[in-house]
Structure formats: C-alpha cells, structure tokens
Amino acid sequence: MVVAEILTGIALVQKSVDFIKSNIGTVNDIKDIAKQIDGFFEGESQMNKKSGTLGIKEQFGIESSASDFIDRKLLEEKRNELKQIINLRFGPTAWDQILAERANRINEAKEAVRLQKVEARQKQKEIVDTLQTMGIIFCVISVFVIGLVVTFKAFADGYTYKSKNYTRQQKIHQGKIKQPQYTRCLRKKMVHYKNGLACIYQGAGKTFEIEFTDKSIGCPKQYQCVYNPGGSEPNIDDVMESLRDIAK
C-alpha cells in the first residue's frame, strides 16, 4: 500500500516530465508548461511526505528500502532532465529562477500562515484582557456598592434626627409660629374699683379685651388689641367680684 502511494508520486513526476519533454519545442512561454512543472513539484512533495510518515518496519524493510532507493534515484534523474530541458529552451538560469520563485511563494505562504496565527493569538489575548478588565471593573463596582449599602445601613441604624434651631422669624415664615393679628379696639366701658380702673375694649369681629390700670393713668380711648373674633363681652360684675375677692 505504501509503495503504491509513493509510486503515485513518482508517476506524477514522470508524467509531468514526459509531457514537458514532448512539448518543449512548441511552447512559447514557460507559463505554457507551468501546470506540468507544478505537477513535478507536487509529485516530489508527495514522495517527501510519505517518506516522513513511514513506520519503523517499513523504513528498514528490504523491499521498502530498495523501492524507496529506486524511486529517489528516478526522481533525481527526472529533476536533472527537467532542469536541462528548461535551461536549453528558456536560458541557462531559467531553472534556478523557477526554484527561487517557488521558494519565495512557499515562504510567503508560510509567512501568511504565521501572521494569521499571530493575529489569532493577538485577538485571543485581547479577548482575555477585555474579560479580565471587565472582571476587575465588576469587582470594583461590587465592592463600591457593598460599601455604600453597609455605610447607609450603619448610618440609618445609628442616626437620630435632630431638628435644626431656627430663629423666630424663620419659624414664622415656615408657619410653625402664627404671628398674632391686631385690630383697633375702642374703649367701651370703664369701671372704678378702689385705686384702679377696669377698662373694657371692643374691636372688629367682636374682639373683646379687658385691661386694668391705675386711676392716675386712666383708660385710653383706643389701643391695638390681639384680633380674636367671635368673643363675648366680659361681665363686669363678675370681674369686679373677682377683684373684691382678691382685695380681701
């Protein structure tokens, strides 16, 4: 089986060289036989690959060794024959130029494969770096959020609200203190008792107010009372009775 596969490589080499030898006189350009030259190199490559994959028994077997030796000698002869044919038809350096061009293409193909592998590794590294960066950012955000939650909870548990000390004027603006409203009250009655006077005043909305003063001062005809609508006039008799009880 192995010999048959190696002969396939040899057969391709022979077929390619025989075609070139038969048609070399009619071709005008080396491109006309480029396919057959490629066939020769392909057959040679097949033989080299198969030699590298032979098992120990096949490599050192007598039949296999003899067949491989013959095929290698035949390959060498066909290579020299092809070289002479090409150089005679297209110039003494044509074969070397073919080999150089082929080597360049092989190197370019290898370089392209290498660059693809480098690019693939670079992309893989970028993906890994991105995932690592995202992981770090996620951890930092998580720690930050946990810290905020713990701090807020501790603050909420230990926080006692303390009202701010506002001034009276600020409390008035906030509606916490109702500023008294005043109205003009006119003197309605004036009652004497011992050395004093009881002065009853009436203002808007049935606002009533009583004031006590000395006789020497007297009861003013009017003054500003705290507006307290819906009131009832003080009973002067009750007031005087209360004053007499106090005086006893």
Side-chain angles (χ1 to χ4, degrees):
M1 181 66 180
V2 175
V3 173
E5 291 179 354
I6 294 177
L7 287 177
T8 300
I10 290 295
L12 183 57
V13 168
Q14 290 176 326
K15 179 180 179 181
S16 300
V17 175
D18 291 343
F19 180 88
I20 294 172
K21 184 167 55 174
S22 301
N23 296 274
I24 194 67
T26 61
V27 298
N28 297 319
D29 191 275
I30 200 169
K31 294 180 180 179
D32 296 336
I33 55 173
K35 182 178 180 180
Q36 284 69 35
I37 294 176
D38 289 339
F40 169 82
F41 288 125
E42 177 62 24
E44 183 181 38
S45 177
Q46 289 180 12
M47 294 176 64
N48 293 333
K49 289 180 180 179
K50 292 302 179 181
S51 295
T53 58
L54 291 175
I56 296 177
K57 181 178 179 180
E58 293 170 329
Q59 291 180 21
F60 294 99
I62 296 176
E63 181 179 354
S64 177
S65 298
S67 176
D68 183 65
F69 176 77
I70 294 171
D71 290 340
R72 292 295 169 183
K73 292 296 292 184
L74 182 59
L75 174 63
E76 185 177 352
E77 292 177 1
K78 292 298 179 180
R79 185 190 296 111
N80 291 331
E81 184 178 0
L82 181 60
K83 177 180 178 180
Q84 292 177 2
I85 295 172
I86 296 294
N87 287 343
L88 287 174
R89 179 66 180 84
F90 299 105
T93 61
W95 180 252
D96 293 336
Q97 291 176 3
I98 291 173
L99 294 180
E101 178 65 22
R102 182 170 182 270
N104 288 336
R105 292 185 179 182
I106 291 174
N107 291 334
E108 289 176 356
K110 290 181 179 179
E111 181 64 15
V113 172
R114 187 188 70 82
L115 291 176
Q116 289 177 355
K117 291 181 179 179
V118 170
E119 184 178 358
R121 286 195 298 267
Q122 183 64 28
K123 288 182 179 179
Q124 184 178 11
K125 183 178 181 300
E126 290 176 357
I127 293 173
V128 173
D129 293 342
T130 301
L131 293 176
Q132 289 178 344
T133 302
M134 291 176 64
I136 293 173
I137 293 175
F138 176 78
C139 291
V140 171
I141 294 175
S142 299
V143 171
F144 178 74
V145 172
I146 292 173
L148 283 179
V149 172
V150 173
T151 302
F152 179 78
K153 187 176 185 304
F155 178 78
D157 292 342
Y159 177 74
T160 301
Y161 175 75
K162 295 181 181 179
S163 61
K164 184 178 179 181
N165 293 325
Y166 295 101
T167 63
R168 176 180 173 79
Q169 193 62 34
Q170 288 175 327
K171 290 179 180 180
I172 290 174
H173 287 311
Q174 294 172 358
K176 294 180 179 179
I177 295 179
K178 292 184 177 181
Q179 187 80 344
Q181 296 181 356
Y182 293 91
T183 184
R184 188 181 67 162
C185 292
L186 300 177
R187 185 180 66 196
K188 184 175 183 181
K189 290 182 180 181
M190 184 172 62
V191 180
H192 294 267
Y193 70 96
K194 290 188 177 182
N195 296 326
L197 292 172
C199 310
I200 297 176
Y201 294 89
Q202 182 176 355
K206 292 186 178 183
T207 296
F208 292 95
E209 193 165 321
I210 186 169
E211 290 290 335
F212 298 95
T213 183
D214 293 335
K215 289 182 178 180
S216 58
I217 297 174
C219 296
K221 292 182 178 181
Q222 64 180 19
Y223 87 108
Q224 293 294 106
C225 302
V226 175
Y227 180 66
N228 186 20
S232 59
E233 181 179 349
N235 189 321
I236 194 65
D237 294 332
D238 292 341
V239 173
M240 295 306 297
E241 184 67 25
S242 297
L243 291 174
R244 283 194 290 269
D245 290 341
I246 295 172
K248 288 181 181 180

